[in-house]
Amino acid sequence: MLKSRLGFGMMRLPVKNGDPTDFDYEQLNAMVDAFMEAGYTYFDTSYVYHNGKSEEAVRKAVVERHPRDSFTVATKFPTFILQEEGQIETIFEEQRRNLGVETIDYYLLHNIQTVYYDGVDGKGGVVKTCHLFDHAKKWLEDGKIRHLGFSFHSSAKLLDRVLAEHPEVEFVQIPFNYIDCESQLVQAMDAYEVIRKHGKQAVFMEPVKGGGLAMMPEEAADMLRKMDPEASIASWAIRYAGSFEGVICNLSGMSTLEQVKDNIRTVQTLEPLTEEEKKALHDVVEVYKNAGPVGADLSRFEGAVLHGVPVSAIMEAYNMVQLQPDPGFSDDNNYLKNAIMEESHRNFADDLPRETILLKDGTDATEEVYKAYEWLRANTF
């Protein structure tokens, strides 16, 4: 059986008439009940999911319908809307009311990254200037939260420093799948290893990369079918993410009862990948990347940088997002702004000075690189 358990991500819940705040509670209640009857307990939400109504949905579908000791609830402080310290306690108490709980089991600071932690100048972003970690430590001491963590979308180097500066943190939530583990910007494997080095636990999100590892380019999918004709394409991603130690759960954003049942069947019947199978996936990744507009071979960009960031990393990110079911809503989009801020203390949102990109063979790749750069810039969220 897989090493980590299934977690229920409450960000793609069933709704009526396309309204993200009008939940189909008949279906949602059935989904929650099936999930819990299978022995799973972890529900992950946030202050902002479903236009700010997901926490309420957790209260109605989980908290008000099941004994408090039968589930664990995780939610997140909206770091990205924080402007002044006075907001912090107000938002936190609103979250406890939304959820209908006195104590939040797993509490995360949502989306710790360079822009919020260090700021443009590297001297301190809103997380530091508003003393957000100090408030969170007090909630932990007062028993208002049981476990403190954060979700993370930046470099492994920054993650190492954040964990060193905040030993009170118990877990970190990161995107983790066999594509992102090889990504120069997402650095999922490096981030996981930093988490374990500090003796912390992980929560994995995006194990199937938002569906991108379920709807693969046909040549890559054929390679997986040859390895195991009976296995679904997505099951390889689930097995990969479930093969690692120290992981509280693998989150899946589920929208239908059938998705819940299918995920339960998958995680209860699969075994962790062998080391040989993990190595075989590397070849699948190469074929996957070759289906994109840039391709897998980035060697021609070696040595070139744009605003302090390797051009190969920029082109890899652009190539990857174009292969996703929803290119504008892919993890890769959001890492470049943090990389630029970390390396050169410049704001990605500004019109930065245009730089000429000359490759090692003398080719002027400025237009090609800026096409990718501007697309990523336009689709950052």
Side-chain angles (χ1 to χ4, degrees):
M1 185 174 291
L2 298 181
K3 296 181 180 180
S4 56
R5 295 171 64 78
L6 179 65
F8 197 142
M10 308 287 278
M11 66 179 297
R12 300 185 183 96
L13 301 178
V15 298
K16 299 176 181 177
N17 303 313
D19 181 350
T21 65
D22 186 9
F23 300 101
D24 180 349
Y25 278 104
E26 181 178 357
Q27 183 173 188
L28 177 56
N29 291 347
M31 293 164 64
V32 166
D33 294 349
F35 181 79
M36 294 183 68
E37 285 168 7
Y40 301 109
T41 62
Y42 192 102
F43 294 89
D44 172 85
T45 183
S46 89
Y47 185 76
V48 298
Y49 294 166
H50 280 275
N51 293 358
K53 292 296 183 180
S54 177
E55 290 176 335
E56 178 185 303
V58 172
R59 185 186 78 238
K60 292 183 177 180
V62 182
V63 177
E64 294 178 353
R65 298 179 57 252
H66 293 275
R68 182 63 183 93
D69 62 358
S70 67
F71 61 86
T72 53
V73 61
T75 195
K76 310 176 188 73
F77 183 91
T79 307
F80 35 81
I81 68 172
L82 181 59
Q83 296 180 323
E84 59 184 22
E85 190 170 356
Q87 296 174 280
I88 294 175
E89 295 296 333
T90 300
I91 290 173
F92 178 71
E93 291 304 326
E94 182 184 355
Q95 290 184 282
R96 291 209 297 165
R97 290 193 300 271
N98 289 344
L99 291 166
V101 298
E102 288 294 316
T103 302
I104 299 170
D105 300 296
Y106 291 86
Y107 194 78
L108 303 90
L109 307 184
H110 200 166
N111 201 359
I112 294 296
Q113 51 174 278
T114 310
V115 64
Y116 304 128
Y117 193 76
D118 282 341
V120 178
D121 60 7
K123 297 179 180 179
V126 68
V127 169
K128 293 181 180 178
T129 60
C130 291
H131 311 104
L132 183 54
F133 273 100
D134 291 338
H135 286 264
K137 282 196 292 185
K138 187 67 165 55
W139 300 330
L140 193 62
E141 293 165 2
D142 291 346
K144 294 180 178 180
I145 62 178
R146 289 195 174 94
H147 304 284
L148 174 61
F150 57 84
S151 62
F152 187 77
H153 295 275
S154 255
S155 72
K157 180 172 67 175
L158 176 64
L159 178 58
D160 192 25
R161 179 157 54 85
V162 175
L163 288 176
E165 293 173 359
H166 295 284
E168 69 273 18
V169 168
E170 299 172 63
F171 69 103
V172 184
Q173 183 169 312
I174 57 171
F176 193 91
N177 53 69
Y178 62 81
I179 289 285
D180 288 341
C181 280
E182 299 193 11
S183 166
Q184 295 180 66
L185 287 181
V186 181
Q187 302 176 11
M189 183 60 75
D190 291 341
Y192 168 73
E193 290 175 351
V194 166
I195 293 167
R196 299 302 291 154
K197 182 186 80 170
H198 284 270
K200 312 301 182 181
Q201 291 187 297
V203 171
F204 288 165
M205 55 182 160
E206 302 292 342
V208 193
K209 200 167 174 62
L213 297 180
M215 297 174 284
M216 302 182 71
E218 195 58 30
E219 187 178 352
D222 281 344
M223 292 175 69
L224 295 179
R225 293 188 188 104
K226 288 177 182 177
M227 290 165 63
D228 186 347
E230 302 300 319
S232 71
I233 301 304
S235 70
W236 287 94
I238 297 295
R239 287 181 66 201
Y240 182 86
S243 299
F244 293 84
E245 302 284 357
V247 181
I248 296 170
C249 66
N250 276 295
L251 294 175
S252 177
M254 297 177 277
S255 304
T256 67
L257 179 59
E258 183 50 44
Q259 287 177 2
V260 174
K261 291 179 177 179
D262 184 60
N263 275 340
I264 290 169
R265 284 193 297 267
T266 298
V267 299
Q268 288 183 339
T269 59
L270 293 181
E271 294 293 329
L273 292 180
T274 65
E275 289 305 314
E276 286 187 1
E277 288 173 322
K278 288 180 185 179
K279 291 176 182 177
L281 283 181
H282 176 77
D283 295 332
V284 175
V285 171
E286 291 297 298
V287 171
Y288 187 109
K289 290 178 178 179
N290 273 328
V294 180
D297 185 2
L298 302 170
S299 59
R300 65 192 182 96
F301 299 108
E302 184 180 343
V305 297
L306 177 60
H307 304 310
V309 177
V311 167
S312 58
I314 296 171
M315 301 308 291
E316 180 185 53
Y318 174 72
N319 187 66
M320 186 53 58
V321 297
Q322 303 308 317
L323 291 166
Q324 302 311 300
D326 183 359
F329 195 75
S330 175
D331 275 333
D332 308 76
N333 299 12
N334 293 305
Y335 281 79
L336 181 55
K337 66 180 178 184
N338 291 298
I340 289 174
M341 195 168 292
E342 186 172 5
E343 296 301 324
S344 62
H345 300 303
R346 292 176 171 180
N347 191 340
F348 187 50
D350 297 337
D351 290 323
L352 302 182
R354 188 175 176 88
E355 299 180 358
T356 300
I357 309 299
L358 292 178
L359 305 184
K360 56 188 176 183
D361 65 357
T363 300
D364 187 333
T366 304
E367 294 304 321
E368 179 185 8
V369 172
Y370 266 90
K371 177 183 177 181
Y373 171 86
E374 293 297 348
W375 192 97
L376 293 168
R377 183 169 177 259
N379 288 277
T380 295
F381 55 91

